[in-house]
Amino acid sequence: MLKLKPYIEDFISLIYPHTCISCGDLLPKGTQDVCPKCLYNLPKTKNHIIPVPQFLQKFEGIVKVEKLYVYSYFQKQGIVQKILHELKYNDNPDIGMTFGRYFGKDLLTESEIPPFDLIIPVPLHPKKLKLRGYNQSEALANGLSQALNVPVNKNTLIRNRHQNTQTKRSKIERIKVMSETFGVTDSNIKGKHVLLVDDVLTTGATLISCVEQLHTLKPKSVSIAVLAGVK
Ligand SMILES: [Zn+2]
């Protein structure tokens, strides 16, 4: 039987050429969203090899985080902001899966990672989930899950309410507000190594609240993986 699919795909890409979301160049066949050149220039933190103190300091003395993994630095107008925008506002969960896989592959090949038992994405409020159609952190978690061969758990951590922009609050105030935002269900994570996943690390208030909640269930350890971090 004649395989039509590749021909149809070629034909479609002639009419609707796929371009890099960062530089706008045509994407070579077999690539998606970001061209190889932009991918090469991605500002990776590599903090799994040499820890970045500015990231660790966001959690120090507040909650115990076993390992903190930050894939790339967040820069305004930079490629990472474009990836995040695509992931959150352009109905493209696939880009989250793709970068989750890249991230997982880097971690596996470049460092010793704890024997994770489960990956938990930071949940969205159900209303927001309905609006967006998917949870961007879950898309990343699914990609990481594929690369690390660790299952995703969506039932343990729950979001009780949606928290809007809190830019005017101090960090302590934010943590206090966020601590009422998340909750846990009585799921069996006791004694397990957990990897918590979110898209961006800014003040750390959201992740701190999630880690606090998870610790109430007595896991063996809680680590964090985020796609982008603000120093
Ligand atoms: Zn590009």
Side-chain angles (χ1 to χ4, degrees), residues 118-186:
L118 42 106
I119 299 175
I120 297 183
V122 170
L124 281 184
H125 187 272
K127 268 189 193 161
K128 189 130 187 200
L129 184 63
K130 210 172 167 190
L131 219 67
R132 187 170 294 159
Y134 60 91
N135 173 357
Q136 74 278 4
S137 299
E138 194 183 314
L140 284 165
N142 287 334
L144 277 159
S145 165
Q146 279 185 7
L148 303 177
N149 199 22
V150 175
V152 175
N153 172 308
K154 297 192 286 176
N155 311 316
T156 302
L157 194 59
I158 49 168
R159 195 169 195 134
N160 300 317
R161 61 180 188 188
H162 174 62
Q163 203 53 52
N164 268 318
T165 46
Q166 304 177 35
T167 39
K168 284 186 189 126
R169 295 177 200 265
S170 72
K171 181 161 179 179
I172 291 167
E173 282 172 334
R174 281 183 223 199
I175 293 170
K176 213 175 147 204
V177 170
M178 292 311 282
S179 71
E180 295 150 19
T181 303
F182 295 97
V184 279
T185 57
D186 193 16

XYZ file of all heavy atoms in Angstrom, residues 118-186:
549
model
N 7.355 8.973 41.795
C 6.265 9.625 41.075
C 6.545 11.092 40.810
O 7.328 11.728 41.510
C 4.933 9.463 41.808
C 4.882 9.621 43.311
C 4.240 10.910 43.682
C 4.087 8.458 43.884
N 5.891 11.574 39.756
C 6.025 12.975 39.344
C 4.676 13.654 39.569
O 3.646 13.154 39.115
C 6.422 13.061 37.852
C 7.774 12.372 37.622
C 6.466 14.512 37.383
C 8.212 12.302 36.171
N 4.702 14.770 40.295
C 3.451 15.471 40.605
C 3.476 16.879 40.008
O 4.314 17.699 40.383
C 3.228 15.544 42.137
C 3.089 14.126 42.709
C 2.005 16.404 42.467
C 2.803 14.071 44.202
N 2.589 17.163 39.046
C 2.537 18.529 38.504
C 1.791 19.470 39.453
O 0.844 19.044 40.129
C 1.758 18.366 37.190
C 0.967 17.106 37.337
C 1.627 16.256 38.393
N 2.228 20.733 39.511
C 1.481 21.733 40.281
C 0.107 21.881 39.619
O 0.026 22.160 38.421
C 2.227 23.091 40.308
C 1.350 24.193 40.884
C 3.511 22.962 41.109
N -0.973 21.671 40.368
C -2.296 21.687 39.727
C -2.801 23.097 39.424
O -2.399 24.062 40.071
C -3.193 21.000 40.765
C -2.497 21.149 42.069
C -1.029 21.322 41.801
N -3.681 23.180 38.446
C -4.392 24.422 38.152
C -5.728 24.350 38.863
O -6.230 23.261 39.132
C -4.687 24.524 36.652
C -3.611 24.955 35.680
C -4.221 25.055 34.281
C -3.026 26.296 36.063
N -6.313 25.498 39.138
C -7.668 25.468 39.669
C -8.600 24.919 38.579
O -8.415 25.230 37.398
C -8.105 26.877 40.072
C -9.416 26.886 40.780
N -10.604 26.965 40.109
C -9.711 26.753 42.085
C -11.587 26.907 40.988
N -11.063 26.773 42.206
N -9.587 24.071 38.959
C -10.466 23.465 37.953
C -11.063 24.466 36.953
O -11.172 24.161 35.764
C -11.570 22.816 38.791
C -10.930 22.524 40.101
C -9.895 23.590 40.316
N -11.389 25.671 37.435
C -11.967 26.685 36.537
C -10.960 27.100 35.465
O -11.298 27.266 34.307
C -12.380 27.924 37.344
C -13.814 27.866 37.805
C -14.199 29.215 38.406
C -15.517 29.088 39.148
N -15.717 30.191 40.099
N -9.714 27.266 35.913
C -8.666 27.682 34.989
C -8.341 26.548 34.017
O -8.079 26.779 32.844
C -7.416 28.078 35.796
C -6.344 28.721 34.969
C -5.854 30.006 35.595
C -4.896 30.726 34.678
N -4.067 31.677 35.377
N -8.378 25.339 34.534
C -8.117 24.153 33.714
C -9.150 24.073 32.595
O -8.821 23.785 31.444
C -8.171 22.896 34.594
C -7.834 21.575 33.920
C -6.404 21.555 33.416
C -8.061 20.406 34.876
N -10.385 24.352 32.939
C -11.466 24.304 31.960
C -11.248 25.375 30.887
O -11.442 25.132 29.695
C -12.813 24.524 32.663
C -13.945 23.822 31.959
C -15.202 23.888 32.772
C -16.373 23.457 31.906
N -17.639 23.722 32.562
N -10.797 26.535 31.330
C -10.564 27.654 30.423
C -9.422 27.365 29.447
O -9.526 27.610 28.253
C -10.219 28.893 31.267
C -10.765 30.227 30.829
C -12.280 30.256 30.958
C -10.156 31.337 31.686
N -8.315 26.842 29.976
C -7.135 26.581 29.152
C -7.232 25.257 28.413
O -6.649 25.088 27.357
C -5.866 26.630 30.025
C -4.596 26.535 29.224
C -3.374 26.831 30.075
N -3.358 28.213 30.530
C -2.664 28.650 31.585
N -1.939 27.803 32.280
N -2.688 29.913 31.929
N -7.949 24.328 28.989
C -8.106 23.025 28.341
C -7.067 22.016 28.772
O -7.210 20.824 28.521
N -5.983 22.482 29.371
C -4.940 21.572 29.859
C -4.123 22.294 30.927
O -4.168 23.514 31.021
C -4.028 21.105 28.718
C -3.314 22.229 28.002
C -2.046 22.661 28.410
C -3.912 22.889 26.929
C -1.405 23.710 27.768
C -3.269 23.935 26.291
C -2.015 24.339 26.709
O -1.393 25.382 26.075
N -3.385 21.509 31.688
C -2.491 22.081 32.697
C -1.072 22.052 32.128
O -0.535 20.988 31.830
C -2.588 21.242 33.986
C -1.573 21.653 35.036
O -0.742 22.532 34.811
N -1.628 20.996 36.180
N -0.467 23.230 31.982
C 0.853 23.308 31.350
C 1.921 22.553 32.144
O 2.846 21.973 31.566
C 1.268 24.760 31.107
C 1.686 25.567 32.319
C 0.499 26.118 33.085
O -0.664 25.843 32.774
N 0.781 26.910 34.112
N 1.777 22.523 33.469
C 2.757 21.806 34.291
C 2.609 20.294 34.088
O 3.590 19.554 34.161
C 2.573 22.137 35.766
O 2.770 23.516 35.940
N 1.374 19.880 33.841
C 1.136 18.460 33.587
C 1.755 18.047 32.243
O 2.282 16.929 32.122
C -0.370 18.210 33.574
C -0.758 16.759 33.644
C -2.268 16.607 33.555
O -2.999 17.356 34.242
O -2.713 15.761 32.782
N 1.715 18.950 31.256
C 2.342 18.664 29.959
C 3.841 18.437 30.152
O 4.415 17.474 29.629
C 2.089 19.809 28.987
N 4.471 19.310 30.943
C 5.905 19.146 31.245
C 6.144 17.843 32.001
O 7.094 17.097 31.701
C 6.388 20.307 32.122
C 6.608 21.651 31.440
C 6.728 22.738 32.489
C 7.874 21.593 30.591
N 5.272 17.586 32.980
C 5.405 16.363 33.784
C 5.301 15.122 32.905
O 6.050 14.151 33.100
C 4.328 16.331 34.873
N 4.405 15.166 31.907
C 4.263 14.016 31.010
C 5.527 13.775 30.193
O 5.914 12.626 29.953
C 3.064 14.207 30.078
C 1.740 14.042 30.808
O 1.655 13.357 31.833
N 0.698 14.668 30.299
N 6.168 14.872 29.755
C 7.422 14.740 29.015
C 8.525 14.174 29.894
O 9.267 13.271 29.493
N 8.619 14.698 31.113
C 9.617 14.203 32.073
C 9.348 12.726 32.379
O 10.283 11.918 32.492
C 9.555 15.015 33.368
C 10.333 16.332 33.364
C 9.804 17.268 34.442
C 11.819 16.079 33.583
N 8.080 12.393 32.500
C 7.672 11.023 32.796
C 8.168 10.061 31.716
O 8.680 8.980 32.010
C 6.147 10.965 32.910
O 5.682 9.645 32.866
N 8.025 10.488 30.452
C 8.489 9.647 29.340
C 9.996 9.440 29.393
O 10.483 8.322 29.231
C 8.137 10.302 28.006
C 6.700 10.061 27.592
C 6.421 10.616 26.198
O 7.340 11.060 25.501
N 5.163 10.592 25.804
N 10.730 10.539 29.638
C 12.197 10.450 29.633
C 12.722 9.673 30.835
O 13.665 8.891 30.708
C 12.805 11.849 29.598
N 12.119 9.883 32.000
C 12.639 9.266 33.231
C 11.976 7.922 33.536
O 12.404 7.220 34.452
C 12.433 10.210 34.429
C 13.035 11.610 34.346
C 12.670 12.434 35.575
C 14.558 11.545 34.200
N 10.916 7.625 32.799
C 10.166 6.386 33.024
C 9.616 6.306 34.460
O 9.777 5.302 35.154
C 11.050 5.174 32.698
C 10.226 3.921 32.474
O 9.036 4.011 32.169
N 10.841 2.763 32.649
N 9.011 7.423 34.863
C 8.410 7.525 36.204
C 6.959 7.980 36.009
O 6.709 8.899 35.224
C 9.178 8.569 37.057
C 8.508 8.785 38.403
C 10.636 8.146 37.245
N 5.994 7.351 36.690
C 4.593 7.723 36.459
C 4.214 9.099 37.017
O 4.829 9.578 37.969
C 3.806 6.621 37.187
C 4.742 6.060 38.192
C 6.131 6.217 37.631
N 3.201 9.706 36.397
C 2.672 10.992 36.847
C 1.488 10.743 37.782
O 0.659 9.886 37.523
C 2.209 11.857 35.639
C 1.534 13.140 36.096
C 3.392 12.180 34.738
N 1.451 11.489 38.878
C 0.354 11.377 39.845
C -0.379 12.718 39.901
O 0.207 13.734 40.246
C 0.951 10.999 41.212
C -0.072 11.032 42.330
O -0.769 12.030 42.515
N -0.164 9.972 43.085
N -1.670 12.692 39.528
C -2.428 13.943 39.462
C -3.447 14.063 40.605
O -4.186 15.031 40.669
C -3.192 14.031 38.142
C -2.304 14.077 36.922
C -3.092 14.449 35.689
C -3.959 13.292 35.224
N -4.808 13.681 34.079
N -3.482 13.060 41.469
C -4.553 13.026 42.477
C -4.141 13.519 43.860
O -5.003 13.864 44.661
C -5.082 11.593 42.626
C -5.385 10.971 41.286
O -5.968 11.630 40.439
N -4.962 9.741 41.090
N -2.850 13.529 44.132
C -2.408 13.827 45.491
C -2.517 15.297 45.848
O -3.054 15.658 46.894
C -0.950 13.349 45.684
O -0.920 11.949 45.399
C -0.464 13.581 47.097
N -1.977 16.141 44.960
C -1.952 17.582 45.232
C -3.170 18.239 44.577
O -3.434 18.021 43.395
C -0.656 18.158 44.653
C -0.212 19.542 45.066
C -0.002 19.650 46.571
C 1.082 19.909 44.343
N -3.901 19.037 45.367
C -5.088 19.694 44.807
C -5.025 21.208 45.037
O -4.369 21.677 45.958
C -6.404 19.128 45.402
C -6.326 19.089 46.941
C -6.718 17.749 44.849
C -7.641 18.831 47.604
N -5.708 21.930 44.166
C -5.739 23.380 44.292
C -7.129 23.796 44.731
O -8.115 23.517 44.054
C -5.396 24.021 42.945
C -5.064 25.478 43.064
C -4.470 25.993 41.764
N -3.835 27.266 41.976
C -2.634 27.594 41.523
N -1.928 26.740 40.855
N -2.126 28.789 41.730
N -7.199 24.446 45.874
C -8.493 24.833 46.417
C -9.051 26.100 45.798
O -10.239 26.307 45.734
C -8.391 25.034 47.930
C -7.951 23.755 48.615
O -8.422 22.672 48.286
N -7.036 23.875 49.568
N -8.153 26.973 45.381
C -8.628 28.218 44.788
C -7.580 28.776 43.844
O -6.419 28.391 43.882
C -8.953 29.241 45.873
C -7.745 29.595 46.709
C -8.112 30.613 47.765
N -6.907 31.066 48.427
C -6.915 31.838 49.500
N -8.035 32.233 50.021
N -5.790 32.232 50.054
N -8.050 29.693 43.014
C -7.115 30.319 42.092
C -6.562 31.588 42.719
O -7.298 32.386 43.274
C -7.778 30.637 40.767
C -6.880 31.399 39.862
N -5.686 30.868 39.413
C -6.949 32.648 39.372
C -5.072 31.772 38.675
N -5.811 32.851 38.640
N -5.261 31.737 42.658
C -4.632 32.917 43.229
C -4.170 33.836 42.122
O -3.388 33.427 41.276
C -3.450 32.483 44.110
C -3.086 33.493 45.151
C -4.297 33.900 45.986
O -4.994 33.058 46.506
N -4.554 35.182 46.081
N -4.659 35.040 42.116
C -4.263 35.964 41.063
C -2.916 36.621 41.350
O -2.279 36.335 42.341
C -5.346 37.015 40.848
C -6.322 36.567 39.771
O -5.895 36.021 38.751
N -7.588 36.756 40.018
N -2.510 37.505 40.467
C -1.207 38.158 40.603
C -1.021 38.743 42.001
O -1.911 39.378 42.548
C -1.057 39.296 39.575
O -2.249 40.048 39.610
C -0.797 38.769 38.203
N 0.111 38.491 42.544
C 0.366 38.924 43.923
C 1.579 39.826 44.000
O 2.274 39.849 44.996
C 0.651 37.693 44.788
C -0.423 36.671 44.759
C -0.004 35.484 45.575
O 0.665 35.604 46.585
N -0.376 34.318 45.134
N 1.821 40.550 42.940
C 3.062 41.315 42.854
C 3.229 42.331 43.979
O 4.340 42.701 44.302
C 3.163 42.028 41.492
O 1.870 42.500 41.167
C 3.656 41.108 40.410
N 2.103 42.784 44.560
C 2.223 43.822 45.582
C 2.491 43.245 46.967
O 2.747 43.979 47.909
C 0.969 44.684 45.603
C 0.940 45.660 44.437
C -0.220 46.620 44.537
C -0.358 47.420 43.262
N -1.687 47.340 42.702
N 2.418 41.931 47.085
C 2.612 41.327 48.397
C 4.090 41.020 48.644
O 4.846 40.793 47.716
C 1.842 40.020 48.502
C 0.343 40.171 48.429
C -0.253 38.779 48.466
N -1.600 38.744 47.945
C -2.694 38.830 48.693
N -2.597 38.965 49.998
N -3.878 38.758 48.142
N 4.464 40.969 49.913
C 5.819 40.555 50.248
C 5.901 39.040 50.121
O 4.869 38.373 50.026
C 6.150 40.954 51.681
O 5.435 40.120 52.574
N 7.128 38.509 50.131
C 7.277 37.061 49.965
C 6.576 36.300 51.090
O 5.905 35.308 50.844
C 8.761 36.683 49.910
C 8.943 35.186 49.719
C 10.307 34.798 49.220
C 10.401 33.292 49.074
N 11.683 32.846 48.581
N 6.717 36.793 52.322
C 6.089 36.105 53.458
C 4.570 36.123 53.309
O 3.905 35.121 53.532
C 6.544 36.740 54.794
C 8.030 36.414 55.023
C 5.711 36.238 55.974
C 8.699 37.199 56.117
N 4.037 37.258 52.874
C 2.587 37.351 52.655
C 2.137 36.388 51.566
O 1.116 35.723 51.685
C 2.206 38.787 52.255
C 2.164 39.750 53.428
C 1.966 41.193 52.973
O 2.349 41.526 51.832
O 1.450 41.972 53.764
N 2.940 36.310 50.501
C 2.595 35.414 49.399
C 2.567 33.966 49.851
O 1.660 33.213 49.507
C 3.637 35.532 48.279
C 3.441 36.731 47.432
C 4.457 36.724 46.328
N 5.001 38.055 46.156
C 5.627 38.455 45.064
N 5.796 37.635 44.076
N 6.097 39.680 44.979
N 3.588 33.587 50.621
C 3.649 32.199 51.101
C 2.428 31.892 51.962
O 1.821 30.834 51.846
C 4.958 31.944 51.880
C 6.167 32.020 50.921
C 4.945 30.576 52.568
C 7.512 32.030 51.606
N 2.042 32.860 52.797
C 0.896 32.671 53.684
C -0.392 32.469 52.869
O -1.179 31.562 53.126
C 0.750 33.911 54.590
C 0.215 33.556 55.954
C 0.200 34.772 56.866
C -0.975 34.663 57.802
N -1.417 35.956 58.318
N -0.552 33.314 51.867
C -1.748 33.204 51.018
C -1.739 31.873 50.267
O -2.744 31.163 50.195
C -1.815 34.391 50.020
C -2.906 34.163 48.995
C -2.063 35.676 50.768
N -0.572 31.522 49.712
C -0.479 30.299 48.920
C -0.706 29.052 49.770
O -1.192 28.049 49.277
C 0.894 30.194 48.230
C 1.138 31.206 47.143
S -0.195 31.352 45.953
C 0.091 29.922 44.939
N -0.337 29.138 51.054
C -0.442 27.948 51.895
C -1.894 27.506 52.046
O -2.179 26.355 52.338
C 0.189 28.183 53.266
O -0.622 29.056 53.999
N -2.819 28.458 51.827
C -4.234 28.081 51.884
C -4.756 27.687 50.509
O -5.898 27.275 50.373
C -5.058 29.260 52.428
C -4.716 29.599 53.866
C -4.904 31.066 54.197
O -5.623 31.753 53.454
O -4.296 31.531 55.180
N -3.910 27.842 49.507
C -4.347 27.579 48.138
C -4.304 26.093 47.783
O -5.141 25.598 47.061
C -3.462 28.381 47.153
O -3.566 29.752 47.506
C -3.898 28.195 45.721
N -3.275 25.406 48.327
C -3.102 23.991 47.971
C -3.491 23.070 49.118
O -3.469 23.459 50.283
C -1.658 23.722 47.557
C -1.271 24.433 46.301
C -0.608 25.640 46.354
C -1.607 23.898 45.065
C -0.275 26.312 45.187
C -1.270 24.556 43.899
C -0.604 25.772 43.956
N -3.829 21.866 48.760
C -4.146 20.853 49.753
C -3.713 19.492 49.228
O -3.276 19.374 48.075
N -3.790 18.484 50.067
C -3.460 17.133 49.607
C -4.617 16.186 49.926
O -5.353 16.387 50.884
C -2.161 16.581 50.256
C -0.941 17.114 49.555
C -2.103 16.873 51.750
N -4.745 15.169 49.104
C -5.708 14.117 49.389
C -4.924 12.986 50.042
O -3.702 12.945 49.949
C -6.380 13.594 48.111
O -5.350 13.137 47.235
C -7.194 14.672 47.424
N -5.605 12.104 50.670
C -4.913 11.036 51.384
C -4.432 9.963 50.415
O -4.955 8.860 50.349
C -5.856 10.428 52.426
C -5.081 9.538 53.389
O -3.850 9.652 53.413
O -5.712 8.746 54.095
